[in-house]
Amino acid sequence: MIPTWRLRAAFARRLSALYGTEVPAYTTLLDVTGEVNDEVARRNPDAGRLGGLERVTAERHGAIRVGTPRELRQAAQVFAALGMRPVGFYDLRDATGSAVPVVSTAFRPVEPGELARNPFRVFTSLLTTADRRFFDAGLQARLEAFLSRRTLFPPELLTLAARAEREHGLAPEEAERFLTLAVAAFKLSPEPVDRAWYAELARVSAVAADIGGVTRTHVNHLTPRVLDIDALYRRMADRGVTMIDEIQGPPRWDGPDVLLRQTSFRALDELRRFREPDGSVTTGSLRVRFGEVEARGVALSRAGRARYDALCAETDRRLAEDGRAARQDVAREVWEAGFPREERLLATGELAFFTFRPAAARPRDGRRPPADLAGLLDHGWLTAHPIVYEDFLPRSAAGIFRSNLTGQGTRDAARTGTPYDEHRLSAILERPVHDPFEIYAAQQDAALRHALEALGADDARRALASRATAPRPSPPPRTEGAAP
Ligand code: OOG
Ligand code: NI
């Protein structure tokens, strides 16, 4: 039996090999990423704090885009076979000035042990065909008719996927067949693209054309993880690969690495065959697929995330005031004034998620451990270890989408958008969409409980347990519809 995690690791490896043959600059990106990671690991004894070199070297995220609820459900079935669950809801329709008519989730492992074995994740976007800001009724009907005629995932693949999910793995021959079919489902199709149809959709949105203008799906990008993204950025430029202008996410600074920093190289011309209006088949090119790279830091709690969002807003405000300033410089200034500079303060302030262990050098003079987390850390009872952020950032995702769009597309802001949230997405998927904060919090709470048990810190355990069960304030209602 090939267990789930081996299927996942093999799938990630094979998809990466396939993408390397399709987008050669991705191979350059992997080479440079490997160089930088080896150097950082040699020079910095703390390099493994957010994941060992073995995990980081194999680590990838992919991005795919599908057209219909049925296709999304089927993708979820394939990923379920790989132990990847939908986590988080991202609405990118309002997150950028360009037309990005999609809502998204990320499929990924959720258990710490599974993440440690292989953390492969796929950011998966669903085209919102009913959204009147982008598609009028006529175009929606033709788009949905086109999508209903195509098959992204063959029935044999879905049957094997369901079995792999049920049985937590597959026998070797079945595993081989499953992996072959699963990788093939994400390979760029040689089938000619209908030129007029693609162009009609591209006028509305380049993303809509990439999804609904072709008869198959494909990997949009595949992203390795790097331990020093600034060094990588410079080195890619030295190799002659043009990167987008910015690194998305938190600025470079000498405080703790938090959340996610990402950058990409621009989409490159790829040869495609086209069916022309007169029926002839010609060769042309499209630019949609690119390479992205990311650095990951500690996962932030809701409070930490609110702080992050406030710092982003403050950076925007200052940039709007001073049009000449560089975003990185302004952001660093804002961060230095507004974000804790030490990891310890993220733990004691409960701004980020950690696991805890009894400290080797804890007090042994008969004193009782204090009943609060800050006291336990500050007085040397516990040590904290950061939990890696495994998810995405809507603003960065929108930035990545936007930077690689050829045209702005069109969006009629006077119209109302179709409402989507994680509940609607769960209903479409027929699977729960997990809340990332709850996953991190559960891991932290379990680690803390164990550590306190080991310390015999019963007061602290009781105090923290009552806090954990206290009701959380409910989130503010999501506002939908006409964007400002
Ligand atoms: C997905 C963009 C989001 C990321 O890393 O934030 C993403 C896409 O372009 O389909 O992959
Ligand atoms: Ni990405």
Side-chain angles (χ1 to χ4, degrees), residues 37-230:
N37 286 349
D38 287 342
E39 281 168 28
V40 175
R42 263 200 308 276
R43 154 182 104 216
N44 179 358
D46 244 9
R49 195 159 167 75
L50 289 154
L53 191 57
E54 207 180 317
R55 169 186 152 153
V56 170
T57 304
E59 186 162 346
R60 300 280 184 279
H61 86 247
I64 62 159
R65 305 158 173 186
V66 298
T68 65
R70 180 158 168 273
E71 290 174 357
L72 184 65
R73 249 183 329 271
Q74 294 180 339
Q77 177 62 80
V78 172
F79 294 133
L82 303 169
M84 297 156 69
R85 319 262 162 244
V87 181
F89 169 76
Y90 304 85
D91 192 340
L92 301 181
R93 294 174 297 169
D94 291 331
T96 158
S98 309
V100 180
V102 299
V103 292
S104 315
T105 187
F107 292 93
R108 68 166 179 89
V110 296
E111 303 288 336
E114 287 293 309
L115 286 161
R117 287 191 181 106
N118 185 292
F120 187 55
R121 41 180 103 70
V122 178
F123 192 91
T124 303
S125 300
L126 170 67
L127 189 64
T128 54
T129 53
D131 195 317
R132 282 285 172 269
R133 291 173 298 177
F134 306 99
F135 308 102
D136 64 32
L139 186 54
Q140 178 193 357
R142 284 184 296 132
L143 182 52
E144 288 177 355
F146 179 93
L147 292 167
S148 73
R149 286 193 299 270
R150 72 182 191 180
T151 302
L152 302 184
F153 305 103
E156 185 188 0
L157 171 61
L158 296 171
T159 305
L160 285 169
R163 183 173 315 152
E165 181 183 13
R166 219 168 37 240
E167 296 173 5
H168 308 289
L170 288 173
E173 316 79 73
E174 283 178 336
E176 184 54 42
R177 181 74 186 144
F178 167 73
L179 288 168
T180 302
L181 292 172
V183 171
F186 297 105
K187 186 173 160 41
L188 196 65
S189 163
E191 194 163 318
V193 176
D194 182 326
R195 170 94 66 190
W197 174 234
Y198 194 94
E200 182 180 359
L201 288 173
R203 278 194 292 279
V204 173
S205 155
V207 177
D210 181 45
I211 301 172
V214 293
T215 53
R216 300 284 307 280
T217 189
H218 41 254
V219 177
N220 174 266
H221 62 265
L222 212 56
T223 302
R225 180 166 159 203
V226 72
L227 295 173
D228 184 344
I229 196 168
D230 303 276

Side-chain angles (χ1 to χ4, degrees), residues 61-63 123 221 223 262 292 294 392 400:
H61 86 247
F123 192 91
H221 62 265
T223 302
Q262 300 178 306
E292 180 194 44
E294 66 191 13
F392 293 86
I400 298 281

Side-chain angles (χ1 to χ4, degrees), residues 135-455:
F135 308 102
D136 64 32
L139 186 54
Q140 178 193 357
R142 284 184 296 132
L143 182 52
E144 288 177 355
F146 179 93
L147 292 167
S148 73
R149 286 193 299 270
R150 72 182 191 180
T151 302
L152 302 184
F153 305 103
E156 185 188 0
L157 171 61
L158 296 171
T159 305
L160 285 169
R163 183 173 315 152
E165 181 183 13
R166 219 168 37 240
E167 296 173 5
H168 308 289
L170 288 173
E173 316 79 73
E174 283 178 336
E176 184 54 42
R177 181 74 186 144
F178 167 73
L179 288 168
T180 302
L181 292 172
V183 171
F186 297 105
K187 186 173 160 41
L188 196 65
S189 163
E191 194 163 318
V193 176
D194 182 326
R195 170 94 66 190
W197 174 234
Y198 194 94
E200 182 180 359
L201 288 173
R203 278 194 292 279
V204 173
S205 155
V207 177
D210 181 45
I211 301 172
V214 293
T215 53
R216 300 284 307 280
T217 189
H218 41 254
V219 177
N220 174 266
H221 62 265
L222 212 56
T223 302
R225 180 166 159 203
V226 72
L227 295 173
D228 184 344
I229 196 168
D230 303 276
L232 177 125
Y233 188 93
R234 289 189 297 271
R235 224 172 277 187
M236 286 298 281
D238 293 346
R239 292 240 195 156
V241 179
T242 314
M243 306 298 281
I244 63 170
D245 300 340
E246 274 183 12
I247 297 177
Q248 314 270 343
R252 175 168 198 90
W253 76 320
D254 53 15
D257 291 332
V258 306
L259 298 173
L260 180 62
R261 300 181 69 213
Q262 300 178 306
T263 190
S264 61
F265 61 76
R266 288 191 190 283
L268 306 170
D269 273 338
E270 279 185 289
L271 288 185
R272 299 266 191 111
R273 299 200 306 145
F274 288 89
R275 179 161 295 112
E276 303 296 342
D278 66 3
S280 65
V281 173
T282 60
T283 303
S285 68
L286 287 179
R287 277 179 177 234
V288 265
R289 307 193 319 148
F290 54 92
E292 180 194 44
V293 62
E294 66 191 13
R296 290 187 173 264
V298 63
L300 297 186
S301 66
R302 286 178 206 275
R305 178 56 180 271
R307 181 84 63 95
Y308 171 78
D309 290 337
L311 296 185
C312 288
E314 174 62 14
T315 304
D316 285 348
R317 199 187 58 72
R318 290 196 197 178
L319 278 168
E321 264 171 21
D322 178 358
R324 285 190 317 270
R327 172 174 287 277
Q328 283 291 313
D329 299 338
V330 174
R332 194 175 314 112
E333 225 175 82
V334 168
W335 275 66
E336 282 170 356
F339 206 79
R341 218 175 236 289
E342 283 170 53
E343 196 184 273
R344 194 184 54 86
L345 297 175
L346 291 179
T348 54
E350 297 185 51
L351 293 170
F353 291 110
F354 293 83
T355 55
F356 301 96
R357 292 217 189 93
R362 62 184 177 267
R364 306 213 188 241
D365 53 5
R367 261 186 291 157
R368 303 284 314 142
D372 66 304
L373 187 56
L376 288 159
L377 290 167
D378 287 342
H379 299 119
W381 293 87
L382 291 181
T383 58
H385 196 91
I387 297 177
V388 184
Y389 188 58
E390 303 285 352
D391 295 288
F392 293 86
L393 294 172
R395 193 186 158 105
S396 303
I400 298 281
F401 262 108
R402 189 179 51 239
S403 66
N404 274 289
L405 297 182
T406 27
Q408 288 274 303
T410 49
R411 173 169 64 180
D412 182 352
R415 290 177 176 272
T416 305
T418 357
Y420 271 100
D421 61 12
E422 52 275 48
H423 304 295
R424 172 132 186 236
L425 203 61
S426 293
I428 288 173
L429 284 163
E430 298 170 0
R431 296 170 184 269
V433 173
H434 298 268
D435 178 338
F437 289 107
E438 281 171 16
I439 297 174
Y440 299 119
Q443 187 185 353
Q444 168 166 294
D445 288 348
L448 189 55
R449 216 170 34 246
H450 280 129
L452 295 177
E453 266 163 32
L455 284 180

